[in-house]
Amino acid sequence: MDSAVVSNIKKPVGVPEPTVRRMPKYLNLLKSMQKEGDLFVSAPYIARLQGLDNTQVVKDLAYTGITGKPRVGYSIEELILALEDFLGFNRKHEAFLVGAGFLGSALIQYQGFKESGMRIVAAFDIDKQKVGKEIGGVPVFHLEKFRDLASRLHISMGIISTPAGAAQNIADLMAGWGIKAIWNFAPVTIKVPDHVFVQDTHLYANLAVILNKLTHPAK
Amino acid sequence: MDSAVVSNIKKPVGVPEPTVRRMPKYLNLLKSMQKEGDLFVSAPYIARLQGLDNTQVVKDLAYTGITGKPRVGYSIEELILALEDFLGFNRKHEAFLVGAGFLGSALIQYQGFKESGMRIVAAFDIDKQKVGKEIGGVPVFHLEKFRDLASRLHISMGIISTPAGAAQNIADLMAGWGIKAIWNFAPVTIKVPDHVFVQDTHLYANLAVILNKLTHPAK
DNA sequence: GATTATTAAAGATCTTTTTCTTTATTAAAT
DNA sequence: ATTTAATAAAGAAAAAGATCTTTAATAATC
């Protein structure tokens, strides 16, 4: 026997993340088509609009469990419902945000999240200038209130929009306080226990791609 | 001879995008190490902190042209300079932003971009409430001023933070007005001529990954 | 009713990216 | 000086993802 078989680590083997990332775009498109009265849509049509490969779209949509009909396409209504269910957009997701600076404020006030079911219900900071105020109708509490409120309101999602230096500390606290998923906007890699899921949105990474392209244009 | 050799399309074959996206994180880490007085760093050390594979880091850093010494590692100073050069962070990049809503305002005021050399020098909108005002010291003009100002100031980068419906239109205008790279925050796929580079930052896509995980937790 | 064109679905191939393996280098320890 | 341990570098293998190919289904057309 080979001692190298160290772990039968359960490989996630779920839906590919790139697929999940494309789904909101499909959903967006489908909703505007529905608004115009369309009932069916074909994968090639979606592919053309999104600049994707034909079969890519078919495979992505297959993950929702919805099947299309040859020569007709998919039922838009069915697809929308299935995508919303798949993405969890048809449930309520309440989130706490830590770091009520420019970015945090923008996230709180950003209207776009509404359709996803995600709602930031409270913000937290340690700056006394901010604590006690409201941003877009959302109250800003001192960080020390986080734990108590999170457990009482059964909050499972935390958003970190603090400076880089504070992010790991906040993440540790969140993990200890029962947060299941963290959306991290601070430009650092944060470490959390396995049962906590972290999604990074590093604006820097995107900016880097642009500036690199502008600085060293491909011939 | 095989007629299937249709195109000698110049494949970009540059640096892998995932690599470019990791580089700002390396840079960030290196700077804080330098601040603490460290002079050298090893790839395994970086890998551990970032949760990456050892050789991944070595390969990424190799693209900067800097070589490390066995048993010692890389010179932090050399690496920082090389990364800044590679990413274009040591040059000035002036950008125009269109769509001065919550998100646009946050981007304008976000302090984090300073170290990258990117500076938003003007914002544009069509809302008369916003035109003529300033946001964090940056003037907001009417969209119709974009073309003239962009050519006079030799602006090559445009940021789109408009609602989804306006994005394609703005992108068309930008492309026609000489913008070389577009940073798109609107949740739609925009089409541009080949010589214009688009980088999307779709907050939705990131949110989708989180909500999907929360809704359908992997066993 | 037969044919055709369009489409979804399933499978195969290719490409890209990551991870693993080996080799060579060199500072530190002996 | 010799050995050792840590490391970068280069190459091979594996994994993931995207694209291409083929097949089957079916609505529209003839």
Side-chain angles (χ1 to χ4, degrees):
Chain A
M1 259 315 239
D2 187 351
S3 68
V5 179
V6 171
S7 66
N8 283 349
I9 289 176
K10 50 197 168 194
K11 21 183 174 179
V13 177
V15 179
E17 189 174 310
T19 294
V20 178
R21 298 180 63 86
R22 284 188 290 267
M23 282 181 170
K25 285 202 212 168
Y26 299 147
L27 185 54
N28 214 53
L29 172 62
L30 292 170
K31 280 187 176 170
S32 58
M33 290 184 70
Q34 192 180 49
K35 214 167 281 170
E36 294 187 358
D38 295 341
L39 295 176
F40 291 91
V41 64
S42 75
Y45 179 79
I46 295 176
R48 228 172 304 129
L49 288 184
Q50 306 275 20
L52 295 173
D53 185 85
N54 198 343
T55 56
Q56 180 88 80
V57 175
V58 171
K59 290 192 174 172
D60 285 346
L61 297 182
Y63 282 106
T64 66
I66 301 297
T67 64
K69 275 190 199 166
R71 190 83 200 204
V72 175
Y74 301 86
S75 155
I76 289 182
E77 186 181 358
E78 265 191 344
L79 258 192
I80 288 178
L81 292 174
L83 280 169
E84 286 183 338
D85 181 60
F86 183 91
L87 293 173
F89 280 17
N90 55 0
R91 307 194 187 184
K92 292 273 161 280
H93 300 274
E94 300 189 322
F96 277 3
L97 176 146
V98 177
F102 291 126
L103 185 58
S105 301
L107 293 173
I108 291 168
Q109 295 174 91
Y110 188 52
Q111 302 295 312
F113 294 141
K114 274 182 189 161
E115 328 179 21
S116 68
M118 196 277 281
R119 198 164 68 90
I120 299 170
V121 293
F124 300 84
D125 209 300
I126 53 170
D127 181 350
K128 282 178 183 158
Q129 296 251 305
K130 290 167 187 158
V131 170
K133 303 225 168 100
E134 282 199 354
I135 297 172
V138 173
V140 181
F141 299 105
H142 192 279
L143 182 60
E144 64 195 10
K145 299 268 177 66
F146 189 113
R147 175 174 211 167
D148 182 46
L149 286 170
S151 65
R152 271 165 50 197
L153 297 176
H154 301 288
I155 300 296
S156 54
M157 177 175 171
I159 301 174
I160 297 178
S161 49
T162 65
Q168 180 61 59
N169 183 30
I170 300 296
D172 291 342
L173 293 172
M174 284 182 173
W177 293 343
I179 293 297
K180 299 278 192 309
I182 292 175
W183 194 359
N184 172 44
F185 286 85
V188 289
T189 304
I190 58 178
K191 298 229 170 101
V192 293
D194 279 347
H195 63 274
V196 177
F197 175 76
V198 175
Q199 173 71 33
D200 292 311
T201 296
H202 290 151
L203 297 180
Y204 257 119
N206 296 316
L207 181 56
V209 176
I210 297 179
L211 296 187
N212 178 57
K213 273 278 190 333
L214 279 175
T215 310
H216 310 282
K219 73 220 148 278
Chain B
M1 260 314 238
D2 187 350
S3 69
V5 180
V6 170
S7 64
N8 284 349
I9 289 176
K10 48 192 170 199
K11 21 185 175 177
V13 175
V15 180
E17 187 173 310
T19 294
V20 178
R21 299 180 63 85
R22 283 187 291 267
M23 282 182 171
K25 284 202 214 169
Y26 298 148
L27 185 54
N28 214 52
L29 172 62
L30 292 171
K31 280 187 176 171
S32 59
M33 288 183 70
Q34 192 179 49
K35 215 168 280 171
E36 294 187 0
D38 295 341
L39 294 176
F40 291 90
V41 64
S42 75
Y45 180 78
I46 296 176
R48 228 172 304 129
L49 288 184
Q50 306 277 19
L52 295 172
D53 184 84
N54 197 342
T55 56
Q56 180 88 79
V57 175
V58 171
K59 289 191 173 171
D60 286 347
L61 298 182
Y63 283 106
T64 65
I66 301 297
T67 64
K69 274 190 199 162
R71 189 82 199 209
V72 175
Y74 301 86
S75 154
I76 289 182
E77 186 181 359
E78 267 192 342
L79 257 192
I80 289 178
L81 291 174
L83 280 169
E84 286 183 338
D85 180 61
F86 183 90
L87 294 172
F89 280 16
N90 54 0
R91 306 192 187 189
K92 292 274 162 276
H93 300 275
E94 299 190 323
F96 278 2
L97 177 145
V98 177
F102 291 126
L103 186 58
S105 301
L107 293 173
I108 291 169
Q109 295 174 91
Y110 187 54
Q111 303 295 313
F113 294 142
K114 275 183 187 160
E115 327 180 21
S116 70
M118 196 277 282
R119 198 164 68 92
I120 299 170
V121 293
F124 299 85
D125 210 299
I126 52 171
D127 181 350
K128 282 180 183 155
Q129 297 251 301
K130 290 169 187 157
V131 171
K133 303 226 168 103
E134 282 198 355
I135 298 173
V138 173
V140 181
F141 298 106
H142 192 279
L143 182 60
E144 65 195 9
K145 298 267 177 65
F146 190 112
R147 175 176 211 165
D148 182 46
L149 286 171
S151 66
R152 271 166 48 198
L153 296 176
H154 301 289
I155 300 296
S156 54
M157 177 174 171
I159 301 173
I160 298 178
S161 50
T162 65
Q168 181 61 59
N169 184 30
I170 299 297
D172 292 342
L173 293 173
M174 283 183 174
W177 294 343
I179 294 297
K180 300 277 191 308
I182 293 174
W183 194 359
N184 173 44
F185 286 84
V188 289
T189 303
I190 59 178
K191 298 229 169 101
V192 292
D194 279 347
H195 64 273
V196 178
F197 175 77
V198 176
Q199 172 71 34
D200 292 312
T201 296
H202 290 149
L203 297 180
Y204 256 120
N206 296 315
L207 182 56
V209 176
I210 297 178
L211 297 188
N212 177 57
K213 273 282 191 328
L214 279 175
T215 310
H216 309 283
K219 69 217 151 285

